[in-house]
């Protein structure tokens, strides 16, 4: 059987995180309030209503373009894309066509070979969202125009993606970047971020791309991967059986795990694009573009690389701590607090990536709770108590968890509850004598030559002191008490 090459391009629609809609100043909070309460003559498309561009949305889209390494075009033009559907009251969507806002960028993902791989970005353009249809059980349909006119960015990749897995990683990477710069909520379930996948296959000997099939409106990372994988196999099977691939639009049926033909694909001319006569061209001078560049925060990949270089973090830790911008900020605030008490950035990374993330997960809490649950200062306190050997590691973990639950300062808790490490040899000798008395059998094994048995006895001492015994001293005290094991046995 022939091997086939897979070619995928993604068109991602992302709602722009603005308070107002794209062209009329209505609230863009389409999910809030009753249906059809956030509408105007513009979002209803009434004759004679004139659109006014939301410049904040344009700014955020330009930021997005820059974050995706695109060029911001000095002049871009809105266009009308005509089609008839009940969720589109004007009979056309205002979008951009031949002259989009941003062009020719790239996003770096991890390729299937584990190497960094750049997926080209064809364009980022601005358009408006449609209304929403609700299909009722009795066969009737209701329409809510609250979403009509909500600002959207369409991010179109080049056909550079080579597998379902790469498509998923690309989509995830886009979400990470959009959230990072604050232009999108990242909420796939609500449809704030959704994608269409163009999929084709061809034999390696064939230069020309195979006929492409577009899978519409995929709204989860898992579905992207599954839908593309299914579609690739469907096309290969079709070709192997001697058939041909028809260019068409298909939908993903998650329940059955298949793509289903919806309609034959329209070509651009079916949409009768022409420049929107009611909106003048967007014109940006170099100064405006430079100001957007200056406002761009350090992006996740750059920050990951800096964490590795500046704090000697492993790539894995650096990646974990830069998945979301608030996490990266929280980590760096903790580094500042930790290094001021003599601990290292890696200590901070270990406690955040280990204990803290585990506790958040156990409590089903998101990373937005990090600083509230555990102020950076508290982590620094734990690290300082450990560094000065005031507490043991066991106590440190307990303390960390209690602090997480109660929101109280670990240093204060140590002072209040007397959790200090026991390094007093008289006190430890007494504990050791009790443990030896209670575990004569283990003591006999130890004396008989099973030197590892001492671990158990140390453990018993830790238990008896609620984790406060200095483990090294506890061990030494036991060894002194029991003498050297009989190595001859
Ligand atoms: Mn679109």
């Amino acid at each position: 059987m022939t091997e086939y090459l897979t070619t995928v391009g993604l068109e991602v629609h992302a709602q722009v995180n603005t308070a107002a809609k794209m062209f009329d100043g209505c609230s863009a909070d389409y999910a809030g309030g009753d249906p059809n309460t956030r509408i105007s003559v513009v979002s209803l498309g009434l004759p004679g209503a004139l659109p006014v561009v939301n410049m904040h949305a344009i700014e955020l889209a330009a930021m997005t373009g820059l974050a995706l390494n695109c060029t911001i075009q000095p002049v871009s033009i809105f266009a009308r894309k005509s089609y008839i559907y009940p969720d589109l009251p004007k009979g056309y969507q205002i979008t951009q066509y031949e002259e989009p806002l941003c062009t020719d960028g790239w996003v770096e993902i991890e390729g299937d070979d584990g190497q960094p791989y750049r997926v080209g970005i064809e364009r980022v353009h601005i358009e408006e969202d449609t209304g929403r249809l609700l299909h009722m059980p009795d066969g009737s349909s209701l329409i809510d125009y609250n979403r009509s006119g909500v600002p959207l960015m369409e991010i179109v990749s080049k056909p550079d993606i080579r597998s379902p897995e790469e498509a998923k990683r690309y989509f995830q990477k886009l979400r990470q970047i959009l959230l990072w710069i604050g232009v999108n909520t990242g909420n796939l379930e609500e449809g704030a971020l959704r994608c269409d996948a163009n999929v084709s296959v061809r034999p390696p000997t064939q230069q020309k791309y195979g006929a492409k099939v577009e899978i519409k409106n995929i709204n989860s990372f898992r579905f992207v991967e599954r839908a593309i994988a299914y579609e690739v196999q469907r096309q290969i099977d079709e070709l192997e059986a001697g058939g041909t691939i028809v260019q068409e639009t298909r939908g993903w049926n998650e329940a059955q795990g298949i793509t289903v033909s919806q309609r034959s694909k329209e070509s651009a001319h079916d949409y009768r694009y022409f420049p929107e006569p009611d909106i003048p061209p967007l014109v940006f001078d170099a100064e405006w573009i430079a100001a957007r560049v200056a406002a761009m925060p350090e992006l996740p990949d750059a920050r990951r690389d800096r964490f590795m270089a500046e704090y000697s973090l492993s790539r894995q830790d650096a990646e974990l701590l830069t998945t979301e911008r608030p996490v990266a900020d929280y980590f760096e605030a903790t580094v500042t607090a930790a290094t001021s008490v003599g601990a290292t950035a890696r200590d901070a990374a270990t406690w955040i990536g280990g204990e803290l993330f585990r506790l958040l997960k156990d409590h089903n809490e998101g990373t937005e709770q990090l600083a509230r649950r555990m102020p950076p200062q508290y982590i620094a306190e734990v690290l300082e108590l450990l560094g000065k050997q005031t507490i043991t590691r066991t106590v440190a973990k307990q303390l960390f968890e209690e602090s997480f639950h109660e929101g109280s300062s670990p240093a204060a808790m140590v002072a209040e509850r007397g959790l200090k490490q026991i390094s007093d040899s008289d006190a430890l000798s007494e504990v050791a004598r009790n443990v030896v008395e209670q575990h004569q059998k283990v003591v006999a094994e130890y004396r008989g030559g099973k030197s590892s048995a001492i671990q158990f006895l140390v453990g018993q001492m830790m238990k008896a002191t609620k984790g406060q015994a200095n483990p090294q001293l506890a061990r030494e005290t036991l060894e002194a008490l029991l003498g050297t094991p009989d190595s001859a046995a």
Side-chain angles (χ1 to χ4, degrees):
M1 177 167 147
T2 332
E3 289 280 331
Y4 286 84
L5 297 178
T6 296
T7 302
V8 179
L10 290 193
E11 294 171 15
V12 171
H13 283 93
Q15 277 169 2
V16 188
N17 218 351
T18 54
K21 288 186 180 179
M22 192 64 227
F23 298 116
D24 66 0
C26 282
S27 168
D29 177 13
Y30 60 92
D34 291 330
N36 297 308
T37 54
R38 285 139 203 247
I39 52 173
S40 72
V41 290
V42 172
S43 45
L44 286 178
L46 298 185
L50 289 175
V52 176
V53 172
N54 175 347
M55 282 311 291
H56 185 226
I58 304 286
E59 250 176 65
L60 297 183
M63 291 278 285
T64 304
L66 290 172
L68 304 179
N69 306 291
C70 291
T71 304
I72 307 297
Q73 290 303 318
V75 177
S76 61
I77 292 178
F78 283 101
R80 289 187 181 181
K81 178 183 183 180
S82 309
Y83 66 96
I84 303 295
Y85 205 67
D87 64 6
L88 187 70
K90 294 193 292 294
Y92 60 86
Q93 178 191 36
I94 303 178
T95 178
Q96 296 187 306
Y97 182 50
E98 280 170 323
E99 293 173 79
L101 180 67
C102 321
T103 55
D104 205 26
W106 51 266
V107 169
E108 189 172 284
I109 61 162
E110 188 188 301
D112 284 341
D113 54 5
Q115 296 302 310
Y117 179 69
R118 280 187 183 182
V119 176
I121 303 287
E122 181 89 33
R123 57 193 279 150
V124 178
H125 71 244
I126 301 167
E127 56 188 36
E128 55 179 337
D129 213 338
T130 60
R132 283 201 293 185
L133 283 167
L134 293 150
H135 302 290
M136 307 308 283
D138 67 2
S140 67
S141 292
L142 303 176
I143 179 96
D144 175 12
Y145 286 117
N146 280 354
R147 203 180 65 178
S148 170
V150 165
L152 285 184
M153 296 181 281
E154 183 171 329
I155 303 165
V156 182
S157 87
K158 293 183 179 162
D160 290 344
I161 298 162
R162 303 166 295 184
S163 73
E165 295 78 20
E166 285 186 355
K168 179 183 170 187
R169 283 198 293 276
Y170 165 81
F171 195 18
Q172 286 173 325
K173 189 63 170 265
L174 271 191
R175 180 178 183 273
Q176 180 195 24
I177 294 171
L178 299 184
L179 254 74
W180 191 278
I181 61 173
V183 298
N184 179 264
T185 63
N187 195 324
L188 284 90
E189 279 150 45
E190 285 175 5
L193 192 61
R194 49 198 197 250
C195 87
D196 307 331
N198 288 299
V199 182
S200 69
V201 301
R202 68 190 147 112
T205 48
Q206 181 184 317
Q207 285 298 311
K208 209 170 145 267
Y209 290 131
K212 76 178 177 191
V213 167
E214 181 175 26
I215 314 170
K216 275 287 192 195
N217 273 325
I218 312 173
N219 69 345
S220 96
F221 297 129
R222 201 165 64 90
F223 296 173
V224 166
E225 191 177 357
R226 290 190 61 195
I228 296 172
Y230 173 85
E231 184 56 27
V232 165
Q233 195 53 52
R234 187 191 69 83
Q235 293 183 18
I236 291 174
D237 291 347
E238 186 70 40
L239 293 173
E240 286 288 306
T244 50
I245 303 302
V246 197
Q247 180 174 325
E248 63 177 346
T249 299
R250 298 176 75 90
W252 172 242
N253 181 323
E254 172 58 20
Q256 292 180 53
I258 58 172
T259 62
V260 187
S261 180
Q262 290 180 334
R263 56 177 190 262
S264 63
K265 173 74 182 170
E266 302 88 348
S267 300
H269 65 255
D270 294 328
Y271 291 121
R272 292 176 289 124
Y273 282 101
F274 65 92
E276 166 60 62
D278 290 336
I279 304 176
L282 295 172
V283 180
F284 302 113
D285 56 21
E287 207 179 324
W288 189 90
I289 296 170
R292 304 280 89 67
V293 173
M296 184 64 65
E298 185 183 25
L299 292 168
D301 285 3
R303 205 156 181 193
R304 174 200 65 206
D305 294 346
R306 180 168 63 78
F307 280 8
M308 290 164 68
E310 192 174 332
Y311 304 129
S312 310
L313 298 192
S314 67
R315 188 182 170 98
Q316 200 187 352
D317 283 349
E319 235 154 41
L320 180 69
L321 294 169
T322 53
T323 46
E324 296 168 47
R325 192 166 162 196
V327 173
D329 291 343
Y330 172 80
F331 166 68
E332 290 210 277
T334 309
V335 169
T336 304
T339 47
S340 74
V341 298
T344 67
R346 285 175 70 169
D347 293 331
T350 303
W351 282 87
I352 294 171
E355 282 305 284
L356 190 48
F357 278 12
R358 179 183 67 78
L359 287 165
L360 277 182
K361 203 172 161 211
D362 286 354
H363 289 78
N364 264 324
E365 282 180 8
T367 46
E368 69 281 357
Q369 297 296 334
L370 274 176
R372 186 185 68 78
R373 281 295 200 177
M374 205 71 186
Q377 184 53 35
Y378 286 6
I379 297 191
E381 285 178 18
V382 171
L383 291 172
E384 187 178 18
L385 291 162
L386 261 176
K388 290 185 171 161
Q389 301 196 332
T390 309
I391 56 173
T392 63
R393 246 194 131 66
T394 313
V395 169
K397 281 200 174 176
Q398 290 165 3
L399 207 55
F400 196 92
E401 187 156 351
E402 277 176 55
S403 186
F404 178 92
H405 287 126
E406 291 160 28
S408 35
S409 146
M413 285 196 283
V414 168
E416 272 163 32
R417 304 185 203 168
L419 295 171
K420 285 189 182 170
Q421 171 160 270
I422 304 168
S423 298
D424 172 69
S425 49
D426 289 343
L428 288 180
S429 293
E430 190 175 332
V431 177
R433 276 195 299 275
N434 285 335
V435 164
V436 164
E437 207 163 285
Q438 283 157 27
H439 300 282
Q440 286 297 330
K441 210 178 137 206
V442 183
V443 167
E445 281 171 17
Y446 174 75
R447 287 196 164 127
K450 189 184 169 193
S451 56
S452 64
I454 201 155
Q455 290 302 354
F456 173 82
L457 298 171
V458 172
Q460 291 304 309
M461 281 186 71
M462 298 304 289
K463 196 172 159 191
T465 58
K466 299 197 177 78
Q468 285 170 252
N470 175 324
Q472 185 55 31
L473 273 184
R475 189 187 180 97
E476 284 167 20
T477 310
L478 277 168
E479 281 170 351
L481 196 63
L482 300 175
T484 320
D486 185 354
S487 53

